[in-house]
Amino acid sequence: MAVKEKEVLGTRKMERIEYVGLTVLGLSLAVLFFRPGVIGGIFDAMVNKTVPVIVKVYLTGTLGCAIILSVMTGRILERLGFTDALVRLYIPLARWIKITPLVIVPAIYNILGDINAAGRITAPYLKKVGATKDEQKIAVATMCQGNQSFSTLMLGILAFATGGIWAFPVIFIGLFLPVILVPLLLKVTLYRNVSFKDISDMPRFTPSTPIVPTIFNGAREGAELLFLLLIPAAAVIFAIMGALDYIGIWKPIENALTGFLGALSIDPQTGIQSILVSPTLAMNTLVQTIKNIPPRFAIGSFIIAASGFPLQIPLAQIPAVWSQNSDLTAQEALEAAVVGIIIRIISAFILAMIITPLVV
């Protein structure tokens, strides 16, 4: 038996990943021999880039508490019928454009701050009431028009108050209006196989949890969001940025993103944070910097933050969750999410131009 096992191991075909591993091993040994300080320098750069954000912003700053309290607030609003109320208001328009009102429910859950719940809870309902694949794609793309953390909305409102910007037009036009108009836009362009379904076919989305457990569960959910998702995500991205900065690659990438976002009337600093790290962190930064940037850039920054970003959400989370809970494949969910964030980037530029004269 031992001889046979040895023969099998000796003749096993090399996989591609093993060649990659050997290459990495060879490069590591070469670096250790010729420039051993590089590996330590990269790690030190990763730590120095990550620690100030994780410790001073999330843990000992106000952002951590803001996240916990905002998620709790979102769950209270949900318990008070916020989701069902918005669905009721949307029914007349849904009947007119001949689409199921359920397509906006994932977006409402997203605004309340849980993109995973948006998929896990609402996708099966869409499937249950017979929503077509096109309607489910519209639901995904529309979901990307709202903030994936309620703390983003709360900190955005705080930033506008700090900067003396009237928040109501920004929130109404920049957040709620796209949730209504994007299904119509997609229905007449990309996803046309839709049909209206009456409210009697749809479930209620207001939970029956007593108010006290709702409050404490919301706070616990906020803590889970902070420690299990946002802090690890921020640590990964800032560590990568630190490593790239050490070897001289990050600066050209940052300059390209800065030019692109500036051309779209989006504050580059907070825009990069929204796209790569965390919209919540971006809005926390905006609270501190809003007095030093043009109002148009601040509004564009909020709109891009109130979206399906950062990138790991449309590229990973949405395909994973929706492929498990809807009729969509991971590829179809990914495509719909990309459509949604492209619409959001374009609308950030257009809406910032429209809203700015109304609020300053």
Side-chain angles (χ1 to χ4, degrees), residues 46 59 146-147 292 310 355:
M46 293 166 66
L59 296 179
N147 47 273
N292 301 321
I355 295 172

Side-chain angles (χ1 to χ4, degrees), residues 173-228:
I173 299 174
L175 186 59
F176 289 105
L177 198 59
V179 170
I180 296 173
L181 296 181
V182 166
L184 175 59
L185 171 66
L186 293 176
K187 184 254 181 181
V188 299
T189 53
L190 296 177
Y191 308 127
R192 300 184 180 185
N193 183 20
V194 301
S195 61
F196 176 73
K197 294 169 183 64
D198 190 73
I199 187 68
S200 61
D201 298 325
M202 293 184 292
R204 296 184 185 275
F205 294 95
T206 301
S208 58
T209 311
I211 188 63
V212 173
T214 296
I215 294 172
F216 282 96
N217 289 342
R220 184 180 65 182
E221 185 181 340
E224 291 174 350
L225 174 69
L226 173 64
F227 289 104
L228 300 181

Side-chain angles (χ1 to χ4, degrees), residues 2 22 27-28 47 77 127 151 153 157 168 170 174 191 199 212 220 234 255 265 284 289 293 296 309 313 329 338 347:
L22 289 172
L27 290 174
S28 300
V47 171
L77 289 175
K127 188 175 179 180
S151 54
L153 176 58
I157 293 174
F168 177 79
V170 182
Y191 308 127
I199 187 68
V212 173
R220 184 180 65 182
N255 290 338
S265 300
N284 187 70
T289 62
I293 62 176
R296 177 165 52 91
F309 287 118
I313 289 178
T329 65
V338 170
S347 65

Side-chain angles (χ1 to χ4, degrees), residues 27 32 39 104 166 192 226 235 270 273 284 303 311 319 325:
L27 290 174
L32 282 173
I39 295 178
I104 72 161
W166 186 23
R192 300 184 180 185
L226 173 64
T270 55
Q273 290 177 349
N284 187 70
I303 294 174
L311 280 173
N325 295 280

